Amino acid sequence: MSHCPHVDATTNTMNQTIVQKGNFNRVLEMVESLSSSEQDVLIEIVQKRLREKRRKEIAASIAEARTEYKTGKTQRVTVDELMAELDE
């Protein structure tokens, strides 16, 4: 057994990746065992959940930006000012 934290962390990450790939492959096999109509319903459900997750991420980003603006960490700029800053 290794006593080096870096090696242990790398080994743990590799083991997790192997397990995740195995789980992913099992999920794919399960999906393939479904009928076409069940797969269609599953796709709709997954897409809906992904849209909702993305909406929540956007809402959290907006809330964070508003907080930063209120606390003076950011300021309003025009599009031209923003573009000029990006060009720098």
Side-chain angles (χ1 to χ4, degrees):
M1 180 169 201
S2 172
H3 294 288
C4 178
H6 177 70
V7 172
D8 289 342
T10 302
T11 302
N12 287 339
T13 301
M14 288 172 50
N15 288 338
Q16 288 173 348
T17 301
I18 291 168
V19 168
Q20 289 170 350
K21 284 183 181 178
N23 287 340
F24 189 77
N25 286 332
R26 281 194 289 281
V27 169
L28 286 177
E29 289 171 8
M30 290 172 61
V31 169
E32 289 174 353
S33 73
L34 299 173
S35 69
S36 292
S37 62
E38 290 171 325
Q39 288 180 16
D40 289 339
V41 170
L42 178 61
I43 289 169
E44 289 176 22
I45 292 169
V46 170
Q47 288 175 334
K48 181 179 178 184
R49 288 183 180 186
L50 288 172
R51 283 191 300 270
E52 184 60 30
K53 179 181 177 183
R54 185 65 184 131
R55 281 187 196 108
K56 287 179 181 180
E57 290 170 350
I58 291 168
S61 179
I62 291 168
E64 180 181 0
R66 286 181 175 157
T67 299
E68 288 177 358
Y69 181 73
K70 287 178 183 177
T71 59
K73 293 181 181 176
T74 59
Q75 59 186 9
R76 289 183 188 236
V77 295
T78 66
V79 173
D80 290 336
E81 291 169 331
L82 179 60
M83 295 306 292
E85 188 175 321
L86 291 174
D87 288 337
E88 292 177 359

